Amino acid sequence: EPSPHLPAPENVEIFSYNFHSFLRWSPVPVETGSVLYTVHYKTGAFPVWNETKCTRIPQTQCEFPQEIQKRRWTISLRVRAELGQVPSGWVETEPFVAEKHTTLGPPKVNRVNASSDSLLLSVTPPFTPEPGDRFRYRVFYWENTTSTTKKEEETNKTLFQIGKLKESTLYCFSLRVEFKGAFGDLLGQQSAPQCHRTAVT
């Protein structure tokens, strides 16, 4: 029986970054004793609550079990607090689908080769792709001077060139990835600018 005296966890939210997902919540304050937490999950296909490894844990976050780290599944979770034998009520999340709700980080820049009139970039997506994944990269670049006019290009290749540049000039660029998912496009975060000088002919 949920106790009226033990409040349920608050600020319960799913945090997901590059398809790596956690449930987290605020600690339940009590006068004495230590509160433990238990998390269950269910899927859209099989709506029965299942236990996770997060049973009677002191932490206020729980990583999704491996078996539900699936990008297109609909997942619901619930968490409750327990003080000794006394449980709080459950708090249930809204249904979560990683491919709709995850936050994508910036692409990784592996290599930059500068020639006199171009920069050749080699990049990879922010997470390990699955077969059939489609990406588009947006590249913003500008000459590192006081009047910065930004230019933008798009590509779906992981090796691409920023061309028509001036020689021996410092250029900066920043990237973001667009993931073409089953539920529409997910736009990733923009990378921190990197600056490289073109070569002298």
Side-chain angles (χ1 to χ4, degrees), residues 13-17 20-24 61 64 96 102-103:
E13 59 172 0
I14 293 171
F15 175 76
S16 182
Y17 188 75
H20 194 75
S21 306
F22 292 82
L23 183 70
R24 55 188 192 186
Q61 70 170 32
F64 276 32
F96 168 84
T102 199
T103 299

Side-chain angles (χ1 to χ4, degrees), residues 135-149:
F135 300 94
R136 216 175 162 71
Y137 297 95
R138 292 190 189 177
V139 193
F140 308 91
Y141 63 98
W142 60 95
E143 204 178 313
N144 193 20
T145 57
T146 45
S147 61
T148 50
T149 312

Side-chain angles (χ1 to χ4, degrees), residues 147-159:
S147 61
T148 50
T149 312
K150 290 196 180 182
K151 298 184 178 170
E152 189 181 333
E153 290 196 11
E154 290 200 354
T155 175
N156 48 15
K157 297 183 173 61
T158 53
L159 187 67

Side-chain angles (χ1 to χ4, degrees), residues 31-165:
E31 303 270 310
T32 55
S34 52
V35 177
L36 300 174
Y37 303 94
T38 294
V39 176
H40 290 172
Y41 74 87
K42 65 181 177 181
T43 64
F46 193 64
V48 171
W49 290 109
N50 298 282
E51 288 191 356
T52 63
K53 288 197 180 77
C54 305
T55 299
R56 300 183 63 78
I57 59 164
Q59 297 85 2
T60 55
Q61 70 170 32
C62 174
E63 195 174 349
F64 276 32
Q66 205 51 49
E67 63 267 25
I68 62 166
Q69 290 269 11
K70 306 278 192 244
R71 298 191 333 198
R72 294 179 186 170
W73 285 18
T74 301
I75 311 290
S76 300
L77 295 105
R78 66 180 187 178
V79 59
R80 73 178 182 191
E82 297 168 27
L83 185 60
Q85 298 304 307
V86 178
S88 74
W90 290 100
V91 181
E92 193 176 325
T93 65
E94 293 289 314
F96 168 84
V97 179
E99 206 167 282
K100 286 187 197 168
H101 301 123
T102 199
T103 299
L104 292 186
K108 297 188 192 77
V109 179
N110 305 318
R111 217 173 47 250
V112 180
N113 292 346
S115 66
S116 61
D117 63 350
S118 68
L119 295 174
L120 185 66
L121 313 188
S122 159
V123 302
T124 42
F127 59 91
T128 307
E130 292 182 359
D133 280 354
R134 298 194 341 270
F135 300 94
R136 216 175 162 71
Y137 297 95
R138 292 190 189 177
V139 193
F140 308 91
Y141 63 98
W142 60 95
E143 204 178 313
N144 193 20
T145 57
T146 45
S147 61
T148 50
T149 312
K150 290 196 180 182
K151 298 184 178 170
E152 189 181 333
E153 290 196 11
E154 290 200 354
T155 175
N156 48 15
K157 297 183 173 61
T158 53
L159 187 67
F160 52 85
Q161 195 169 33
I162 303 175
K164 298 190 180 131
L165 305 181

